[in-house]
Amino acid sequence: MEFLKRWSRLFESVLIVPRIGTSNVRILYLHFMFQKSKTVIRIYTLGRVLLFCLSCAIVLAIASRITQGVSKPFSEYLSLVIAGIITFGLTLLFVRWEGLRLRDVGLVPGQRSIFRLCIGFLIGLILASLQPVLVLFFGHVKLILFPQITFGAILSSVGLYFLVACREELAFRAYPLRGLN
């Protein structure tokens, strides 16, 4: 009810302000109206971005639950592929809803996209490798070589790391970051 009273007062002021005749009052009124609309738009945008992030988290949880009965290494890949595809679909849906283009959220590759992807992947690998090295130097931990680790297992982990990174970029960087701009 209070909301309706505010809007009725607002519409009355629209009729009263032009009758006053001073341009300062009109400018002040227009400034007030513009500030109100910017706040409403910001809240609406924040709500959409939070809805998108929540949807992406729910999609990952559902994909993990669906692939729970599948054998371990394959279930992780399948879960991430399913979650990635549905997250991409959610991105398309929310980008259309917001009136943006895929280029605006960074999903259309450019000239230097492959180079940036490789540099980002390399930096991520360095950071992931740096953590156990720092623990070795400053902690009371001793690493023991495990002979059953194969090159295929290492490659499999790197592939899984790549899928996680791609899905994370889609879910928490592409639309949410650009949508908040």
Side-chain angles (χ1 to χ4, degrees):
M1 198 64 166
E2 182 66 26
F3 178 74
L4 291 175
K5 287 180 185 177
R6 277 193 211 151
W7 277 103
S8 65
R9 278 188 245 136
L10 186 67
F11 284 120
E12 286 173 10
S13 66
V14 169
L15 297 174
I16 293 170
V17 169
R19 291 185 195 150
I20 293 175
T22 62
S23 60
N24 290 340
V25 173
R26 285 186 200 157
I27 290 171
L28 184 64
Y29 174 74
L30 290 174
H31 177 71
F32 171 75
M33 288 299 297
F34 181 70
Q35 289 296 347
K36 273 292 214 191
S37 66
K38 276 177 47 176
T39 303
V40 169
I41 288 171
R42 285 180 181 165
I43 291 171
Y44 185 66
T45 301
L46 179 64
R48 278 194 305 231
V49 168
L50 289 175
L51 178 65
F52 177 80
C53 290
L54 182 65
S55 300
C56 288
I58 290 171
V59 161
L60 183 61
I62 290 172
S64 295
R65 178 76 175 140
I66 289 172
T67 60
Q68 200 171 26
V70 183
S71 65
K72 189 65 173 172
F74 186 67
S75 70
E76 293 170 344
Y77 280 101
L78 186 61
S79 169
L80 284 170
V81 167
I82 290 171
I85 290 170
I86 295 174
T87 300
F88 182 72
L90 280 171
T91 302
L92 289 176
L93 181 73
F94 277 80
V95 162
R96 302 259 181 198
W97 186 15
E98 185 103 11
L100 298 171
R101 298 174 302 176
L102 291 179
R103 180 180 309 277
D104 297 336
V105 295
L107 290 180
V108 176
Q111 293 175 346
R112 297 178 46 111
S113 294
I114 299 294
F115 176 73
R116 288 186 195 151
L117 176 77
C118 292
I119 292 296
F121 189 69
L122 184 64
I123 290 171
L125 279 177
I126 290 170
L127 288 174
S129 302
L130 194 60
Q131 191 263 340
V133 169
L134 289 174
V135 169
L136 279 175
F137 282 140
F138 299 112
H140 301 289
V141 177
K142 181 180 177 185
L143 286 182
I144 300 172
L145 186 60
F146 190 68
Q148 282 81 16
I149 293 180
T150 63
F151 183 70
I154 293 172
L155 218 61
S156 175
S157 295
V158 169
L160 195 61
Y161 177 72
F162 180 75
L163 285 176
V164 168
C166 288
R167 189 210 163 267
E168 185 178 313
E169 288 293 316
L170 268 177
F172 301 111
R173 191 171 171 109
Y175 168 73
L177 235 49
R178 306 296 178 164
L180 289 175
N181 281 342

